[in-house]
Amino acid sequence: MALIVQKYGGTSMGSIDRIKNVAKRVKRWHDHGHQVIVVVSAMSGETNRLIDLAKQISSTPDPREYDQMVSTGEQVSISLLSMALKELGVGARSFTGGQVAIKTDSNHNKARIEAIDDQNIKTQLDTGNVVVVAGFQGIDNKGNITTLGRGGSDTTGVALAAALNADECQIYTDVDGVYTTDPRVTAKARKLDKITFEEMLEMASLGSKVLQIRAVEFAGKYQVPLRVLSSFDEGLDGSFDEEFRQTVGTLITVDEGDDMEQPVISGIAFNRDEAKIVVRGVPDHPGVASSILTPISNANVEIDMILQNLSDQGLTDFSFTVNRPDFDKAISILEEVKLDINAKEIHGNTDVVKVSLVGVGMRSHAGVASKMFQVLAENNINIQMISTSEIKISVLIKEQHLEKAVKSLHTAFGLDRTDGESKVAGL
């Protein structure tokens, strides 16, 4: 018998028929003797509907009242799923985040989990019931409902798994695992059986939308075995045997340190949500970077890649990237401080994307960057900026070259080989 936490998103809960299918799946796990905690999101589209209602009242809704309202979508979901389970003869009890209680700080709309009182859940599990918990929400020390931000149900699931020392946290989505890259870009993308927390965190931060970044961080911190799998795969019978653990979905786990078996590159991530800004002809002296970036960061604009050119006659060009929705805001701020920073010109464009190689195998293999640059050069793709870390290499290129870059790198690094081998000859 295992303790399993399962999370189902809005797509999985998108209709009464789909909720009934989730109930049947949960029943199979329960029938195998497992203790099951189910975390659910609001039905697909419901949260957006509620947000639209709030915006019809106010362009800046009161944060407390906003959380009070948007949290109701999950409350509907937990009640419906519990009803569906009881119709199948399975004992079930639903809980809101506050009823658990999932205790958070008071930062409405993006609260952080501080503690979980697991007594209510343990009592229900001990009686043989399935516990159904509303994702995305908690309660602060004043009794106010809080929400964890969009995608917060993933974090709820992982946090409950950590608090109750679950055997596994399963995230059910509309895909059957984590792929080497987006299958919509290349049909040769391959599902990964396993990936490390480090790699998944990089993939999520670099554009992969399979899991919420906070959920991966939480799972890595508390070493919660995390599995991504499809809520539409009817072949899963609820057996938590070795075959299931080895082959179903993608398991996100700790780096086992077996470099001889570790692929050099595990995946290719990309982010279309990029914009590049260049501040030309600023005096090259200490503090120039701070004078440019401080007004940007004070406006709560996130800065990503940064490049400063070599000085020429005492002047330099300073380039950086921001999220595309923040581009106009950042340009406006820099135009306001242009005279203060003695810049000759502020220039920017939004027709760029970031493409990244990710893999813990880079630690023990030289030549990954040079091979990446060679492949892009052979495809006549110019690199505008470069950023590296211990397990990732990112480049900024023109958006028109995205598909060609991903496909050529995917092939060059052996990720689309049918035998599953993803090592590269010569590395």
Side-chain angles (χ1 to χ4, degrees):
M1 182 181 72
L3 172 56
I4 305 294
V5 176
Q6 298 183 342
K7 180 264 175 179
Y8 294 90
T11 303
S12 305
M13 302 288 293
S15 67
I16 294 300
D17 284 342
R18 288 187 176 181
I19 290 173
K20 288 180 178 179
N21 285 334
V22 169
K24 291 175 183 177
R25 180 185 304 278
V26 173
K27 181 180 186 299
R28 289 197 291 269
W29 284 87
H30 184 265
D31 288 350
H32 269 75
H34 304 305
Q35 293 183 317
V36 185
I37 302 168
V38 186
V39 176
V40 296
S41 299
M43 297 175 70
S44 180
E46 179 63 11
T47 302
N48 286 337
R49 185 186 73 85
L50 293 169
I51 292 172
D52 287 341
L53 288 175
K55 288 183 176 178
Q56 290 178 43
I57 297 293
S58 170
S59 59
T60 55
D62 178 83
R64 180 191 181 277
E65 302 308 327
Y66 178 93
D67 278 357
Q68 186 90 341
M69 181 190 64
V70 296
S71 63
T72 61
E74 282 72 20
Q75 189 166 339
V76 172
S77 291
I78 60 174
S79 298
L80 289 174
L81 181 56
S82 296
M83 293 176 193
L85 285 165
K86 290 178 180 180
E87 284 295 306
L88 297 175
V90 178
R93 179 63 64 92
S94 66
F95 292 94
T96 65
Q99 290 171 328
V100 169
I102 298 173
K103 300 174 183 178
T104 74
D105 60 25
S106 298
N107 193 9
H108 286 287
N109 310 161
K110 49 184 177 180
R112 295 248 169 201
I113 296 174
E114 295 181 338
I116 293 178
D117 184 348
D118 57 14
Q119 191 55 53
N120 285 336
I121 291 179
K122 286 182 175 179
T123 298
Q124 293 301 318
L125 291 175
D126 288 343
T127 62
N129 283 339
V130 170
V131 176
V132 185
V133 180
F136 171 65
Q137 61 185 248
I139 191 168
D140 69 9
N141 60 8
K142 296 180 181 178
N144 297 310
I145 294 174
T146 57
T147 62
L148 309 180
R150 298 304 296 265
S153 293
D154 285 358
T155 303
T156 302
V158 173
L160 287 172
L164 285 108
N165 196 28
D167 293 276
E168 190 168 280
C169 179
Q170 300 171 351
I171 308 292
Y172 287 85
T173 70
D174 54 0
V175 296
D176 61 349
V178 179
Y179 277 73
T180 49
T181 195
D182 190 335
R184 292 170 295 185
V185 172
T186 173
K188 295 180 180 179
R190 178 169 48 82
K191 183 179 74 69
L192 298 167
D193 293 330
K194 183 162 44 172
I195 189 172
T196 68
F197 288 120
E198 284 182 279
E199 290 169 323
M200 190 66 245
L201 191 58
E202 288 283 10
M203 295 278 278
S205 67
L206 294 168
S208 174
K209 305 299 184 185
V210 177
L211 287 173
Q212 188 202 37
I213 293 175
R214 280 173 61 188
V216 182
E217 289 176 334
F218 212 114
K221 179 178 179 180
Y222 294 100
Q223 297 193 6
V224 176
L226 188 60
R227 188 181 301 272
V228 177
L229 61 173
S230 173
S231 57
F232 304 110
D233 184 354
E234 296 300 329
L236 303 180
D237 64 1
S239 57
F240 194 55
D241 56 18
E242 191 62 27
E243 181 180 359
F244 175 91
R245 301 184 198 199
Q246 293 294 327
T247 62
V248 178
T250 300
L251 179 64
I252 304 161
T253 185
V254 295
D255 181 6
E256 297 176 351
D258 189 357
D259 289 336
M260 293 186 66
E261 295 297 326
Q262 177 64 49
V264 178
I265 301 300
S266 291
I268 300 174
F270 57 86
N271 187 10
R272 302 178 191 270
D273 189 25
E274 293 282 337
K276 179 183 177 183
I277 296 174
V278 182
V279 183
R280 301 189 188 279
V282 291
D284 187 15
H285 57 66
V288 62
S290 176
S291 64
I292 294 171
L293 298 181
T294 296
I296 300 295
S297 60
N298 286 344
N300 201 29
V301 174
E302 184 177 342
I303 297 162
D304 187 12
M305 306 173 81
I306 299 174
L307 172 67
Q308 183 173 342
N309 293 342
L310 291 174
S311 179
D312 182 16
Q313 297 181 342
L315 299 177
T316 186
D317 294 341
F318 193 88
S319 306
F320 60 95
T321 61
V322 297
N323 292 327
R324 199 171 292 182
D326 290 328
F327 175 72
D328 290 338
K329 182 179 182 180
I331 289 290
S332 177
I333 291 169
L334 289 173
E335 290 290 353
E336 291 177 1
V337 300
K338 181 179 176 180
L339 293 178
D340 295 335
I341 61 178
N342 295 317
K344 289 186 175 181
E345 181 185 6
I346 310 295
H347 172 72
N349 61 288
T350 59
D351 63 342
V352 292
V353 293
K354 181 169 63 176
V355 177
S356 307
L357 301 182
V358 178
V360 296
M362 291 187 198
R363 290 172 174 155
S364 57
H365 293 85
V368 175
S370 62
K371 186 174 185 70
M372 181 186 195
F373 303 155
Q374 177 187 348
V375 170
L376 294 176
E378 290 171 352
N379 284 273
N380 200 31
I381 299 173
N382 186 49
I383 299 172
Q384 299 185 27
M385 299 178 75
I386 301 169
S387 174
T388 65
S389 75
E390 192 176 22
I391 67 168
K392 76 108 171 26
I393 303 170
S394 298
V395 295
L396 196 73
I397 62 174
K398 283 190 174 181
E399 186 169 17
Q400 69 189 65
H401 298 313
L402 172 62
E403 187 170 320
K404 183 195 294 186
V406 171
K407 286 182 176 179
S408 58
L409 290 169
H410 200 271
T411 298
F413 283 90
L415 295 176
D416 52 18
R417 287 177 57 172
T418 56
D419 60 4
E421 175 64 60
S422 57
K423 292 183 181 179
V424 183
L427 288 182

